[in-house]
Amino acid sequence: MRFRIEFNPSAIGSIGFSELHGVLTSIMPGGWDYVIEYGRISRIDIAVDIPEARPGMFAVLPKQGLSTKEWTVAGKLQTLVLGKKGGNQTLIYNKKAQQLGQGKPWEGKATVRVERRMLNPAIKKLSSLPDLPNPFAALSLTELLNAPPTEKEWLWSLFKDSVSVRGLPAALARLPKAKRTLYRKHLESQPHQLWGPSVIWTNWLAALGEHDLHKFHHQ
């Protein structure tokens, strides 16, 4: 017997998860325990929110060249997508605008959501979730502050103008190789103060503990 389960543990909550376990128990012996033992992860989405922020505050510097798409409203960046549909993707978007656009309530200021969508991740079983490699490690959110020490200010200003029109990955791609390497190294040295992948990932085990997705219900 083969079937697929797709759900958002944060959305369904502990009550919804208990109900899911009950439904699964009527289909297979042990319910969720059976899924943990025999199931395989084909896709996992992991997101982190940056409160009181907007997508336009960050310049996105992926480790490798990726296709990019941008959606703007009234000249303000709302959504940035790295990677092609059908593969691994990174989305950076205005969560407040998304919720309001779907007719859902939102209180407070805007929030940036950074979301990784991974197909066939490195780990295959739910019991291995604690060992999932940091999915945000390869993503740099930087700021275009001062020019590199050896660069002329007017060239740096032209580059920043190019970034505002094309986005950082596309603007870098238009540079000669030597200058592209110089700019990339410089940008990697000045990450945005609100972005720290290694610090963010220290909360992964605590997030798993809220739902016990990787554990057997019956020991």
Side-chain angles (χ1 to χ4, degrees), residues 96 106-110:
K96 177 179 180 179
W106 182 277
E107 295 183 4
K109 298 182 179 180

Side-chain angles (χ1 to χ4, degrees), residues 4-77:
R4 185 174 185 173
I5 303 173
E6 183 174 331
F7 68 99
N8 183 337
S10 296
I12 67 174
S14 58
I15 295 177
F17 188 72
S18 295
E19 293 176 350
L20 173 62
H21 177 58
V23 171
L24 292 175
T25 301
S26 67
I27 301 174
M28 63 191 71
W32 187 249
D33 299 353
Y34 188 94
V35 174
I36 292 177
E37 185 170 1
Y38 298 105
R40 294 293 181 269
I41 300 173
S42 60
R43 170 175 165 171
I44 183 169
D45 297 355
I46 300 177
V48 62
D49 289 343
I50 306 175
E52 298 187 15
R54 295 180 181 276
M57 293 171 55
F58 306 95
V60 182
L61 183 67
K63 292 294 184 183
Q64 58 185 9
L66 294 173
S67 63
T68 62
K69 291 184 179 180
E70 292 186 5
W71 285 267
T72 60
V73 176
K76 294 183 178 180
L77 179 64

Side-chain angles (χ1 to χ4, degrees), residues 129-131 203-214:
L129 279 174
D131 303 318
N203 296 312
W204 174 237
L205 291 180
L208 285 179
E210 292 181 8
H211 304 288
D212 287 342
L213 297 179
H214 61 301

Side-chain angles (χ1 to χ4, degrees), residues 168-179:
L168 182 54
L172 283 170
R174 288 175 172 263
L175 297 176
K177 184 177 180 180
K179 192 169 290 293

Side-chain angles (χ1 to χ4, degrees), residues 178-195:
K179 192 169 290 293
R180 181 167 64 247
T181 300
L182 171 67
Y183 278 23
R184 174 176 281 276
K185 184 177 181 180
H186 176 67
L187 290 167
E188 288 175 345
S189 71
Q190 47 183 24
H192 197 287
Q193 61 179 347
L194 296 178
W195 181 248

Side-chain angles (χ1 to χ4, degrees), residues 78-204:
Q78 296 296 320
T79 301
L80 174 66
V81 179
L82 303 174
K84 296 180 179 179
K85 187 176 182 180
N88 293 342
Q89 288 186 312
T90 301
L91 289 81
I92 300 171
Y93 57 95
N94 186 327
K95 184 62 178 176
K96 177 179 180 179
Q98 182 212 44
Q99 291 289 98
L100 295 177
Q102 295 175 351
K104 298 178 181 178
W106 182 277
E107 295 183 4
K109 298 182 179 180
T111 290
V112 167
R113 172 157 292 185
V114 182
E115 183 175 326
R116 289 280 289 132
R117 297 179 179 178
M118 298 171 287
L119 298 178
N120 300 312
I123 61 166
K124 302 304 179 185
K125 300 191 70 173
L126 286 163
S127 57
S128 299
L129 279 174
D131 303 318
L132 180 70
N134 187 344
F136 304 109
L139 179 66
S140 294
L141 299 184
T142 183
E143 295 182 272
L144 276 68
L145 301 174
N146 299 326
T150 58
E151 187 57 290
K152 298 179 177 64
E153 284 294 340
W154 67 271
L155 283 175
W156 183 247
S157 294
L158 289 177
F159 175 69
K160 290 197 293 184
D161 289 343
S162 179
V163 172
S164 68
V165 174
R166 301 179 177 89
L168 182 54
L172 283 170
R174 288 175 172 263
L175 297 176
K177 184 177 180 180
K179 192 169 290 293
R180 181 167 64 247
T181 300
L182 171 67
Y183 278 23
R184 174 176 281 276
K185 184 177 181 180
H186 176 67
L187 290 167
E188 288 175 345
S189 71
Q190 47 183 24
H192 197 287
Q193 61 179 347
L194 296 178
W195 181 248
S198 58
V199 175
I200 289 169
W201 202 239
T202 60
N203 296 312
W204 174 237

